[in-house]
Amino acid sequence: MGVSYKKLWKLLIDKDMKKKDLAAAANISTYTVNKLNRGENVNTDTLVSICKVLGCTFDDIMELIPDQPPESQETQK
């Protein structure tokens, strides 16, 4: 299962914040912001810090993306 942070980026736009502003306010590194940008896993403490700064919950900044089932392959007879 993957994670998408598209909701976070939309929320930042709505609040007229830049990623560097979020990093400074939430006391997270630019490396962590880059991980979020790539949809990689981050520590829950990081997510809590972001939610405190933005006044939101996890559901407001991220969503779980189910894994795609492998494509069925037709067998030849």
Side-chain angles (χ1 to χ4, degrees):
M1 191 163 287
V3 177
S4 171
Y5 297 103
K6 287 181 182 180
K7 289 182 173 184
L8 171 60
W9 310 131
K10 288 179 184 177
L11 188 59
L12 288 181
I13 291 168
D14 292 344
K15 292 186 176 277
D16 198 29
M17 285 182 77
K18 296 181 180 178
K19 292 176 185 176
K20 66 179 182 176
D21 300 330
L22 175 65
N27 196 26
I28 58 176
S29 68
T30 54
Y31 175 73
T32 301
V33 173
N34 288 333
K35 286 181 72 172
L36 290 164
N37 203 37
R38 293 188 302 264
E40 296 179 5
N41 293 331
V42 294
N43 190 309
T44 52
D45 290 339
T46 299
L47 298 174
V48 169
S49 295
I50 291 170
C51 287
K52 283 181 182 178
V53 166
L54 298 176
C56 64
T57 64
F58 287 167
D59 289 344
D60 296 325
I61 63 169
M62 62 183 278
E63 63 183 334
L64 297 177
I65 307 297
D67 291 332
Q68 296 290 335
E71 292 184 32
S72 60
Q73 297 179 352
E74 296 182 34
T75 56
Q76 295 181 351
K77 294 183 181 179

